């Protein structure tokens, strides 16, 4: 069953309820973030990287630790191309199924995998790779409290074209273009589910979004704008 039409309504309900998460950027600025979950993948991520490099677009990747271990060279290529890195858990298990210790270990394992693959000091990765997106976007207030306790930053979404059910490139593109607005945080997938079409989808999306005047930024940029906005309203 596809839920693509439900996500815009979910976003409107959840965003004001869970204010400690990053749902989107500044609605007054024409900046958007392309984000990719479930990678890195041996075939789909390199195809995607070529498109991003060709268009000089920075993106943000939320990685599974086990996929980083499977494709360390590809993980390193993503990092060296200057993209922003985040955590999606060690495996694609819903965070709601993990205990306090299991979730903590899952995130730490993923940081260790990134440090090894990208040839970085673990301390640097622990300090810099702190953005976490829960698999399937499923979380509870308790999970958010744990993430904040461990100094992670929960990242969600505002545009979900549901590309993982493979609706086809054209439909994924159309869904993004219908929903995109200032500050949009767009979720696509470069993993086993949805990755087949990701390079083609992004190759079509980027020129059309640029034509509408959008600038592509990373999650870090959206956080900074969000913090600035919060400080100005208090």
């Amino acid at each position: 069953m596809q839920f693509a039409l439900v996500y815009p309504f979910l976003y409107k309900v959840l965003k004001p309820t869970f204010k400690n998460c990053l749902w989107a950027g500044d609605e007054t600025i024409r900046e958007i973030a392309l984000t990719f979950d479930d990678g890195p993948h041996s075939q789909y991520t390199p195809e995607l990287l070529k498109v991003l490099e060709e268009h000089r677009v920075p993106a943000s990747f939320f990685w599974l630790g086990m996929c980083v271990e499977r494709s360390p060279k590809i993980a390193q290529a993503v990092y060296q191309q200057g993209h922003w890195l985040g955590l999606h858990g060690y495996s694609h298990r819903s965070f709601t199924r993990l205990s306090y210790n299991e979730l903590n270990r899952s995130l730490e394992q993923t940081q260790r995998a990134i440090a090894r693959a990208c040839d970085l000091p673990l301390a640097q990765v622990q300090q810099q790779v702190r953005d976490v997106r829960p698999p399937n976007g499923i979380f509870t207030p308790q999970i958010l409290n744990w993430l904040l306790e461990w100094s992670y930053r929960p990242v969600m979404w505002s545009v979900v074209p549901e590309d993982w059910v493979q609706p086809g490139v054209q439909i994924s593109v159309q869904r993004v273009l219908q929903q995109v607005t200032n500050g949009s945080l767009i979720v696509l997938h470069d993993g086993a589910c949805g990755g087949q079409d990701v390079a083609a989808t992004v190759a079509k999306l980027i020129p059309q979004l640029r034509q509408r005047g959008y600038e592509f930024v990373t999650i870090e940029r959206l956080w900074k704008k969000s913090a600035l906005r919060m400080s100005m309203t208090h």
Side-chain angles (χ1 to χ4, degrees):
M1 185 177 176
Q2 294 192 24
F3 293 97
L5 298 174
V6 178
Y7 284 105
F9 299 102
L10 264 182
Y11 165 70
K12 281 179 186 163
V13 173
L14 294 172
K15 185 188 176 191
T17 312
F18 298 101
K19 293 183 174 144
N20 287 328
C21 305
L22 182 69
W23 292 91
D26 191 329
E27 290 167 9
T28 66
I29 300 176
R30 231 158 166 68
E31 290 179 340
I32 55 176
L34 279 182
T35 71
F36 301 93
D37 289 2
D38 298 354
H41 186 278
S42 57
Q43 180 187 342
Y44 308 141
T45 306
E47 291 171 355
L48 170 61
L49 277 182
K50 274 185 197 162
V51 176
L52 294 172
E53 191 170 28
E54 186 185 323
H55 291 278
R56 297 188 177 177
V57 165
S60 304
F61 288 80
F62 289 86
W63 279 343
L64 296 171
M66 63 193 299
C67 293
V68 174
E69 288 176 351
R70 268 188 221 141
S71 306
K73 286 200 168 81
I74 292 159
Q76 192 172 49
V78 173
Y79 172 72
Q80 286 176 344
Q81 207 168 298
H83 299 293
W84 189 253
L85 305 183
L87 310 170
H88 203 42
Y90 182 76
S91 64
H92 205 273
R93 279 184 75 194
S94 171
F95 287 176
T96 54
R97 294 183 179 179
L98 302 177
S99 69
Y100 178 91
N101 288 332
E102 285 171 335
L103 179 54
N104 196 9
R105 194 160 55 242
S106 169
L107 297 171
E108 286 180 348
Q109 269 183 289
T110 307
Q111 286 177 324
R112 277 198 295 276
I114 291 170
R116 280 195 299 271
C118 300
D119 199 19
L120 294 168
L122 181 57
Q124 182 184 331
V125 173
Q126 287 169 334
Q127 190 181 0
Q128 291 177 357
V129 184
R130 297 183 297 121
D131 290 321
V132 177
R133 178 181 281 146
N136 307 311
I138 297 170
F139 62 94
T140 61
Q142 174 80 82
I143 286 165
L144 290 185
N145 288 338
W146 292 348
L147 293 176
L148 296 169
E149 180 191 325
W150 301 326
S151 299
Y152 291 115
R153 304 190 299 187
V155 176
M156 300 306 171
W157 35 259
S158 62
V159 176
V160 187
E162 214 182 13
D163 59 326
W164 66 88
V165 297
Q166 295 175 51
V169 172
Q170 207 46 53
I171 288 175
S172 290
V173 168
Q174 189 184 332
R175 285 173 178 170
V176 172
L177 294 175
Q178 279 169 352
Q179 295 177 42
V180 73
T181 182
N182 290 356
S184 280
L185 207 167
I186 301 162
V187 180
L188 293 163
H189 294 75
D190 63 327
C193 297
Q196 298 87 338
D197 290 337
V198 73
T201 300
V202 170
K204 280 183 180 289
L205 266 178
I206 290 170
Q208 294 188 66
L209 290 167
R210 278 217 170 114
Q211 213 170 9
R212 293 188 183 187
Y214 290 111
E215 184 190 344
F216 296 94
V217 299
T218 63
I219 288 296
E220 176 68 354
R221 167 89 169 182
L222 294 192
W223 272 118
K224 281 181 177 162
K225 290 282 179 180
S226 167
L228 187 64
R229 201 163 67 250
M230 293 288 280
S231 67
M232 287 168 75
T233 54
H234 283 83

